[in-house]
Amino acid sequence: MFNKKPRRNFRQRKDNSSDEEDERKTRGHGVETEEAPVAVNKPEKLSQGRGITCSSKREATPPKPGSSSGEDGDTVEVTEEGGERNKDRDEVSNTTNSILSFSDDKEAKEPTFKLKKSSDKAVLFQVKKKEASPAKTKQRRGKTQTQSSLMLKRSRQLDGSVAPIEPRKNSFPWVETATAQLKRIEFAPRLKSIRERIADKLGDSDDSLSGSDVDEQDLWEETQIEKGVKRRPGEQSPSGTFPAVSVSMVKKRITGKLESLKEVHSARQAELRRMEGDVENARASAETLEESSSERQLRFYRDTNLYVHNVVECLREKVVEINSVELDLHSLLSDHMEALLAQRRQRTREQADHLQQISYVTNEQGGSPTNGTETQSGADSGVKAEEDFDLPEDTQPSAEEEEQLQKKIADILLRSQAVFSDVQDDFSSVKKILSRFEEWRGSYSDSYHNAYISLCLPKLLNPIIRHQLLPWNPLKSDSGDFENFPWFAAVETFCHGHGHEELENTDRQTLSNVIEKTVIPKLTGYVELVWDPMSRQQSVCVSDVCHRLKEDYSIFEGEQSKPVKAFREAVISKLRSCVDDDVFIPLYPKTFLEDSSSPQCRFRDQQFWTAIKLLGNMGKWDLLLPESVLKELMLDKLLNRYLLTALCSQTLSNRAVHACRKIADSLPLSWFKGENSCLPQLQNFRNHLVQKAHSICKQQPPEEPNTKSAVVEVLKILSSIRCNDSIMAISEKYRYEDVIYSHQLLNHEDA
């Protein structure tokens, strides 16, 4: 149907023919498989009249093994069968020669192989060699086939499913015809290598040069095969030879392998033990988490909440009974003390009125109760009585009144024991209650502190502690100490541990807070209702308790709490009322006071020493009450208003000096620490002492021993109140400088 032009073989000179020859040379003298297409990279710019170009639609067929390498194996020619094509198509093929494509029109669905052009644009030339002898050609051809079979064997070792490659029959007879012709186009000779130039100079034959090239080619092929095939230790080399192996080498390798396996085994065993330990730890942690789960914690909180609710409900009912019993006890003691105070005040008032009437009647008659001789003898006896006179005794009830009082107190305490008789120990014992909170603190400390339990415990334990403190009377020394009660030991253990341990938490202040909420209100009640500031025993007992609370528990230091402030106000109020209501020193004519045996003098002395006794009781509250308040009560009111007035009316020096000594001893020592001058409130008292020293020296000569001893007593009193300038003035005036150093009157280190 169509006229088909006969197939023709043609060649065209191209500039990349030498490149193709070099590429064929490096591939190993024409050993190729059917699957590898023939690809030639053309340079980007074509040169006219150089090289050979081939174009065809059919697939390239490799040359036969016999004619793949020619005689010398240095040049490979590619000849393909093709029909006649248009000049336009040839021109298009020439212009797009950067990529070669070999395809068949009949097999359009087969994949197209494309090779990009080579970046190497150099033109390779090859020197035409002489034809080798048939024997050498046959030898090289056999060696090439051996290497090809070796490569095929190596590739089968790498991949077990490699099909044998059989050479296809040459479907292009013109290729063989073209090869059989071995007509070559002469090119410019390439540059010889150094070895070739040396061989030319030495006159080596073409056979020796050809042999060296073959050796280089074999070495290169073996190197490339070793690169492509990864050998394992002990495997056969690509050349087919086996390394020399001895028994010692095998034993050494086996021993090394065994040691390596042992090390790996030991490492695996250690890892196994570690993993078993991790499993045990994980199991223990899981059990711990299961035990301390949120459900267990929730159950604990529910139990604690229920327990605290029951305790609060129980104490809410019992606190009414506790308040009733406590009120009855305080009312009994208060009524008893009010009765004693009323009796004392009534007796003092009646005696003062009676002596005032007697003094008025006697003064109107213009007579004296005694003459001069009797007055002198009475004065002497009065001096002895005054020297033996001590502070007045405290007001005490009669034996019958005391017996009735103790019986009533016993009845009240017996009734108080029945308050918690129907309550279990878990809800009435301070130790049992604190054990629950101690468990909470040990198990869930965060929630314990977040709940501010340390601030809630004093209020919770207040009714129980008040119930235990009912028998305790802070105004009596025989009632014992509050630290001996069971609640104190329980709270102290809860706050500070069990003696051998010390807790580091906020509960260390719980004991002080409990004391402030329970003991201080107890003291306040007794001060307001029962305490008599004129009683030395009561004042000493209650002040000693307060000083111990200050030193051991820091109750009266720093910022004051409400209970402490209330206690201080109660003490100050009671002292102020005592000074205003109970201090009374009458004034009588000098004629009555000079007679120490007169009832006026005795009554005046009794009231005077009662005021000094009150001054000493006030001094016990030093460091517990504000210093300014205490100075106001002791110095401004009691000393300057009452005592100095009575001292000025004293006629006998011995009685006056003795009274001044008692006044100075009643003043707190803390007022004079670090002071070198007299306090402003003591200026009148200092003037009285200086005047008394001058009067003593005027009555008797200063050099007499009795006069000197009396003056020394006055100087000691001045030294105690830091009147150094007065001491120096008196000693210089009466030549008593030696007394200053012998008695260390200016040395105040002991203060």
Side-chain angles (χ1 to χ4, degrees):
M1 183 173 178
F2 299 97
N3 289 328
K4 222 174 190 184
K5 293 183 181 182
R7 299 180 180 177
R8 296 179 182 178
N9 297 334
F10 63 92
R11 296 181 180 177
Q12 183 177 357
R13 185 181 303 273
K14 296 182 70 68
D15 57 353
N16 60 349
S17 61
S18 61
D19 295 342
E20 295 174 355
E21 291 178 359
D22 287 343
E23 183 178 358
R24 297 294 297 176
K25 182 178 179 180
T26 58
R27 290 185 180 180
H29 303 283
V31 179
E32 295 179 357
T33 58
E34 183 179 359
E35 288 79 7
V38 178
V40 179
N41 294 334
K42 298 181 180 179
E44 183 176 0
K45 186 176 181 180
L46 298 178
S47 61
Q48 299 295 332
R50 301 290 293 180
I52 300 175
T53 179
C54 301
S55 175
S56 176
K57 292 182 179 181
R58 294 181 178 271
E59 185 177 357
T61 304
K64 293 182 180 180
S67 61
S68 60
S69 60
E71 289 184 7
D72 53 1
D74 292 333
T75 304
V76 178
E77 296 180 359
V78 179
T79 306
E80 294 180 357
E81 180 180 358
E84 187 176 353
R85 297 290 183 269
N86 297 329
K87 294 182 179 180
D88 297 336
R89 183 171 299 178
D90 293 339
E91 293 175 359
V92 172
S93 177
N94 292 333
T95 57
T96 60
N97 55 3
S98 63
I99 298 176
L100 297 182
S101 176
F102 301 93
S103 62
D104 195 350
D105 294 337
K106 296 179 182 181
E107 298 176 358
K109 296 182 179 180
E110 295 181 0
T112 303
F113 298 87
K114 296 181 180 181
L115 297 177
K116 293 185 180 180
K117 66 180 180 179
S118 174
S119 61
D120 188 4
K121 301 179 181 180
V123 180
L124 302 179
F125 300 93
Q126 187 172 9
V127 180
K128 181 179 179 181
K129 297 181 181 180
K130 295 181 180 181
E131 294 181 2
S133 61
K136 291 184 178 180
T137 302
K138 185 176 180 180
Q139 183 179 1
R140 286 195 300 270
R141 187 177 301 170
K143 187 173 183 179
T144 303
Q145 292 177 356
T146 302
Q147 293 175 353
S148 300
S149 62
L150 181 59
M151 291 178 63
L152 178 60
K153 182 177 180 182
R154 183 64 59 187
S155 62
R156 287 179 179 178
Q157 291 178 359
L158 297 176
D159 188 4
S161 60
V162 178
I165 302 175
E166 295 181 0
R168 295 176 57 184
K169 294 183 178 180
N170 190 3
S171 59
F172 305 99
W174 57 270
V175 176
E176 185 177 359
T177 303
T179 306
Q181 295 177 4
L182 287 174
K183 293 182 179 180
R184 301 178 180 271
I185 300 175
E186 299 293 337
F187 297 98
R190 66 176 177 83
L191 296 176
K192 294 183 179 181
S193 62
I194 298 177
R195 184 176 295 181
E196 291 175 349
R197 291 198 296 269
I198 293 174
D200 291 342
K201 289 182 180 181
L202 294 177
D204 292 341
S205 61
D206 293 340
D207 295 339
S208 61
L209 182 60
S210 172
S212 62
D213 293 340
V214 171
D215 294 339
E216 291 179 0
Q217 185 70 16
D218 295 342
L219 179 61
W220 180 84
E221 290 178 355
E222 185 176 357
T223 303
Q224 297 302 320
I225 291 172
E226 289 180 355
K227 290 180 179 180
V229 180
K230 183 179 180 181
R231 289 188 301 167
R232 296 181 180 179
E235 285 186 346
Q236 184 180 2
S237 63
S239 61
T241 61
F242 292 93
V245 179
S246 62
V247 177
S248 60
M249 294 175 61
V250 174
K251 183 178 179 181
K252 183 177 181 181
R253 290 183 180 180
I254 293 175
T255 304
K257 186 67 174 179
L258 180 60
E259 295 296 331
S260 177
L261 292 176
K262 286 182 178 180
E263 292 179 359
V264 173
H265 180 65
S266 301
R268 294 293 185 270
Q269 285 183 340
E271 185 177 2
L272 178 61
R273 289 191 297 268
R274 182 182 60 80
M275 294 175 66
E276 290 177 352
D278 294 341
V279 170
E280 292 297 331
N281 294 334
R283 185 181 294 108
S285 300
E287 293 177 356
T288 304
L289 291 176
E290 290 177 358
E291 293 178 357
S292 61
S293 61
S294 59
E295 182 178 359
R296 181 174 177 269
Q297 187 175 1
L298 179 60
R299 184 169 59 254
F300 175 80
Y301 288 151
R302 287 178 178 175
D303 295 342
T304 303
N305 186 22
L306 179 60
Y307 174 77
V308 173
H309 178 75
N310 294 335
V311 171
V312 172
E313 290 296 328
C314 175
L315 295 179
R316 186 175 298 172
E317 295 180 1
K318 298 300 181 181
V319 73
V320 179
E321 301 180 16
I322 295 173
N323 291 338
S324 177
V325 174
E326 189 177 36
L327 181 60
D328 293 343
L329 180 61
H330 288 178
S331 299
L332 176 63
L333 296 176
S334 177
D335 294 342
H336 177 71
M337 185 55 61
E338 288 293 338
L340 293 179
L341 293 178
Q343 293 176 6
R344 186 182 65 190
R345 290 172 182 174
Q346 182 65 25
R347 187 168 51 250
T348 301
R349 187 179 300 110
E350 292 177 355
Q351 189 175 2
D353 294 341
H354 176 69
L355 293 177
Q356 186 69 24
Q357 293 178 0
I358 296 176
S359 300
Y360 180 75
V361 172
T362 305
N363 192 20
E364 284 184 351
Q365 293 177 356
S368 176
T370 57
N371 54 22
T373 306
E374 294 177 356
T375 303
Q376 183 67 30
S377 61
D380 296 338
S381 61
V383 171
K384 295 181 181 179
E386 185 64 27
E387 291 176 355
D388 298 336
F389 188 79
D390 199 359
L391 298 178
E393 295 291 337
D394 296 339
T395 303
Q396 298 292 337
S398 62
E400 296 179 357
E401 293 177 350
E402 183 67 23
E403 184 179 357
Q404 293 179 0
L405 177 65
Q406 295 299 327
K407 184 178 180 181
K408 293 179 181 179
I409 293 175
D411 293 339
I412 294 175
L413 295 179
L414 182 62
R415 184 160 55 92
S416 66
Q417 295 178 2
V419 174
F420 288 101
S421 61
D422 58 344
V423 180
Q424 298 180 0
D425 292 341
D426 293 339
F427 302 95
S428 61
S429 174
V430 176
K431 183 177 181 181
K432 294 292 184 65
I433 295 175
L434 291 178
S435 63
R436 293 295 189 97
F437 291 98
E438 187 175 5
E439 181 182 0
W440 185 1
R441 183 178 62 189
S443 301
Y444 311 102
S445 60
D446 294 338
S447 61
Y448 174 84
H449 294 295
N450 293 335
Y452 298 99
I453 301 300
S454 59
L455 300 179
C456 301
L457 287 177
K459 186 175 181 180
L460 180 65
L461 302 176
N462 181 270
I464 304 177
I465 296 176
R466 285 170 52 197
H467 178 263
Q468 294 186 12
L469 288 177
L470 285 175
W472 180 57
N473 189 347
L475 303 179
K476 290 186 176 181
S477 58
D478 57 352
S479 63
D481 194 0
F482 71 92
E483 296 177 351
N484 298 330
F485 289 92
W487 68 267
F488 183 84
V491 176
E492 185 180 26
T493 302
F494 176 80
C495 298
H496 300 285
H498 297 275
H500 60 277
E501 60 183 2
E502 186 73 16
L503 300 179
E504 296 181 359
N505 47 48
T506 57
D507 289 326
R508 298 182 61 180
Q509 299 297 328
T510 303
L511 181 59
S512 300
N513 296 334
V514 169
I515 293 175
E516 286 185 357
K517 297 297 191 304
T518 57
V519 178
I520 298 299
K522 178 82 171 180
L523 293 175
T524 304
Y526 271 83
V527 166
E528 292 177 345
L529 302 176
V530 186
W531 178 47
D532 180 17
M534 288 291 185
S535 175
R536 186 170 185 82
Q537 179 184 359
Q538 294 182 4
S539 300
V540 170
C541 290
V542 69
S543 61
D544 288 346
V545 172
C546 294
H547 280 290
R548 188 163 65 252
L549 292 177
K550 178 181 180 297
E551 295 174 359
D552 297 343
Y553 309 103
S554 303
I555 299 298
F556 294 92
E557 294 181 355
E559 186 178 358
Q560 305 300 325
S561 61
K562 290 182 179 181
V564 175
K565 290 181 180 179
F567 174 76
R568 281 184 168 182
E569 292 176 358
V571 173
I572 294 173
S573 177
K574 202 64 176 287
L575 291 176
R576 195 182 302 274
S577 63
C578 184
V579 172
D580 296 337
D581 300 336
D582 294 337
V583 176
F584 172 69
I585 302 177
L587 296 177
Y588 297 107
K590 186 177 181 181
T591 57
F592 294 100
L593 298 179
E594 289 178 353
D595 186 6
S596 59
S597 61
S598 64
Q600 292 86 353
C601 183
R602 290 183 177 276
F603 180 70
R604 200 284 309 265
D605 291 342
Q606 179 183 354
Q607 296 301 114
F608 175 77
W609 286 101
T610 301
I612 294 178
K613 179 182 177 181
L614 177 61
L615 185 68
N617 294 342
M618 287 182 176
K620 299 294 182 181
W621 295 99
D622 181 37
L623 303 177
L624 298 176
L625 299 180
E627 184 176 337
S628 59
V629 175
L630 203 58
K631 286 181 178 179
E632 176 191 356
L633 295 175
M634 295 181 63
L635 302 181
D636 295 339
K637 288 191 173 183
L638 189 57
L639 177 61
N640 296 329
R641 182 183 300 180
Y642 295 101
L643 297 179
L644 283 179
T645 304
L647 286 175
C648 292
S649 62
Q650 292 283 354
T651 57
L652 297 179
S653 60
N654 292 336
R655 298 170 61 185
V657 172
H658 181 70
C660 292
R661 178 78 265 176
K662 288 292 184 180
I663 292 174
D665 293 341
S666 300
L667 300 179
L669 295 178
S670 62
W671 292 358
F672 307 102
K673 283 186 177 180
E675 297 290 340
N676 294 322
S677 60
C678 182
L679 296 176
Q681 295 90 337
L682 294 176
Q683 292 295 331
N684 295 333
F685 183 59
R686 182 195 66 173
N687 295 335
H688 175 74
L689 292 174
V690 172
Q691 185 179 1
K692 184 60 67 176
H694 289 305
S695 63
I696 293 174
C697 292
K698 288 180 181 179
Q699 293 177 0
Q700 298 177 359
E703 60 274 7
E704 290 186 2
N706 294 334
T707 304
K708 188 174 182 180
S709 62
V711 173
V712 168
E713 291 296 326
V714 174
L715 294 179
K716 288 181 178 179
I717 298 173
L718 291 173
S719 176
S720 64
I721 61 176
R722 304 297 186 268
C723 298
N724 298 334
D725 53 347
S726 301
I727 296 174
M728 295 297 298
I730 294 174
S731 61
E732 290 177 359
K733 184 176 181 179
Y734 299 106
R735 308 285 180 90
Y736 290 157
E737 289 85 355
D738 57 335
V739 176
I740 297 177
Y741 299 103
S742 61
H743 294 276
Q744 297 182 355
L745 299 179
L746 300 180
N747 187 9
H748 308 301
E749 294 180 358
D750 55 345

